[in-house]
Amino acid sequence: MLGANNEENYSLEVEETEEYAMTCLGALVFADKHFRQSSTPDDLSKNQVDSLSLAYEDLFTMPYNIIQDYSLTIQHLDISNNMFSRNLQFLSEFDNLRSVNLDHNKIDDITVFPNIPNLELLWLNHNCIKNLYPFIKNLHRSVPNLKYLSLMGNEAAPSYLNGGDFCDYIRYRLYVLSWFPHLVHLDDRTVTEQQLLQAKKLFRRSLLEDFVVVPECIKDLHNKMAVCSKPSASDKQRVLNGTNLIV
């Protein structure tokens, strides 16, 4: 009974720590959230608005008038607690986007983000991401310059809160860092130089994998050709019988 109480208290402490860490991280960008929500077009000129919150609006796509009015100025976009899933191409309309909060949406493994090279902060907490691959690989192609990324609350991001153990957590963390070496903050913890080095050693990839997209059909064809091109044992014997090689 005592062990169960200790475990429950530990889980509560971890949850409070993660919530506090995310709150502190939120101060980087979304500290003025309540001010933005209470602001109206009469309060601020559209040309001066660089942060916009559309949280809790039951949106599954971005209203056209928002894109038309704010696409050139918005740098920080909060669209958390909506129903966005695989229809995120509208993000490419925001030319100066630096941070996006997509917490509590319907993002899954197959969701592909548009190219947003200037994006530095992306929150994807509590979505439907179950597998890191190919999600992280596709994410890297779309937003290669991320500095802050959070995937907590997804099945693909194991922790004590969703049944994962410490080894699972470390493996997950290093895998993400192998794709995003410029991260300074992953989930609720700061990225260290040691972690970046370990990630580079543990998950080595060829340079072509980072820059060239090889279709699966080409990969299959290459594998079949490799198998067919291998000489059989009888072929090897005939070659050896016709030469003076000593094996």
Side-chain angles (χ1 to χ4, degrees):
M1 189 68 181
L2 181 60
N5 291 335
N6 290 338
E7 183 176 353
E8 182 177 358
N9 292 335
Y10 176 75
S11 299
L12 291 174
E13 290 177 1
V14 172
E15 185 173 1
E16 291 176 356
T17 300
E18 289 193 352
E19 182 178 358
Y20 175 74
M22 288 303 298
T23 302
C24 294
L25 183 58
L28 295 172
V29 176
F30 300 109
D32 59 337
K33 175 179 178 181
H34 296 292
F35 171 75
R36 294 198 307 276
Q37 288 178 329
S38 62
S39 300
T40 66
D42 295 332
D43 299 327
L44 293 172
S45 169
K46 292 177 181 178
N47 294 329
Q48 296 176 333
V49 175
D50 66 353
S51 301
L52 179 66
S53 177
L54 295 172
Y56 296 97
E57 296 290 344
D58 292 327
L59 297 174
F60 58 88
T61 187
M62 181 62 64
Y64 177 74
N65 64 307
I66 297 294
I67 298 175
Q68 187 177 32
D69 293 342
Y70 299 105
S71 61
L72 297 179
T73 60
I74 292 299
Q75 297 183 28
H76 312 295
L77 181 63
D78 182 357
I79 47 177
S80 60
N81 293 276
N82 283 289
M83 296 187 294
F84 291 105
S85 179
R86 301 174 187 174
N87 49 341
L88 300 178
Q89 292 303 312
F90 66 86
L91 291 173
S92 62
E93 301 291 339
F94 294 89
D95 297 336
N96 301 301
L97 205 56
R98 291 179 51 204
S99 63
V100 177
N101 184 349
L102 270 163
D103 291 352
H104 293 279
N105 276 276
K106 305 295 182 182
I107 308 300
D108 62 16
D109 307 4
I110 310 176
T111 301
V112 176
F113 283 74
N115 185 34
I116 319 175
N118 296 324
L119 195 69
E120 297 181 349
L121 183 148
L122 179 61
W123 289 357
L124 296 171
N125 302 298
H126 301 285
N127 276 277
C128 306
I129 306 169
K130 296 182 178 181
N131 299 293
L132 288 178
Y133 189 89
F135 178 79
I136 289 295
K137 181 178 181 179
N138 294 331
L139 187 65
H140 173 260
R141 289 177 182 154
S142 302
V143 287
N145 298 312
L146 281 182
K147 294 182 179 178
Y148 302 89
L149 174 64
S150 188
L151 298 167
M152 293 191 298
N154 290 284
E155 187 176 330
S159 70
Y160 289 110
L161 299 180
N162 62 8
D165 58 29
F166 183 72
C167 291
D168 292 334
Y169 170 74
I170 294 298
R171 190 181 301 111
Y172 144 76
R173 189 173 179 85
L174 295 182
Y175 180 75
V176 174
L177 292 179
S178 72
W179 283 102
F180 290 96
H182 303 301
L183 283 181
V184 297
H185 211 286
L186 175 58
D187 294 339
D188 60 338
R189 300 180 187 278
T190 302
V191 175
T192 66
E193 289 294 332
Q194 183 180 7
Q195 291 172 353
L196 291 173
L197 290 175
Q198 290 175 341
K200 186 176 181 180
K201 291 180 180 179
L202 186 60
F203 296 100
R204 295 193 178 191
R205 301 183 308 274
S206 64
L207 292 176
L208 288 179
E209 187 176 354
D210 292 339
F211 299 102
V212 178
V213 180
V214 181
E216 291 299 325
C217 59
I218 300 298
K219 291 181 180 179
D220 294 339
L221 180 61
H222 177 270
N223 293 335
K224 291 178 181 179
M225 292 176 62
V227 172
C228 294
S229 63
K230 290 181 179 180
S232 63
S234 59
D235 292 335
K236 290 181 179 179
Q237 186 63 40
R238 284 197 295 269
V239 172
L240 291 177
N241 290 338
T243 65
N244 294 324
L245 293 178
I246 300 177
V247 180

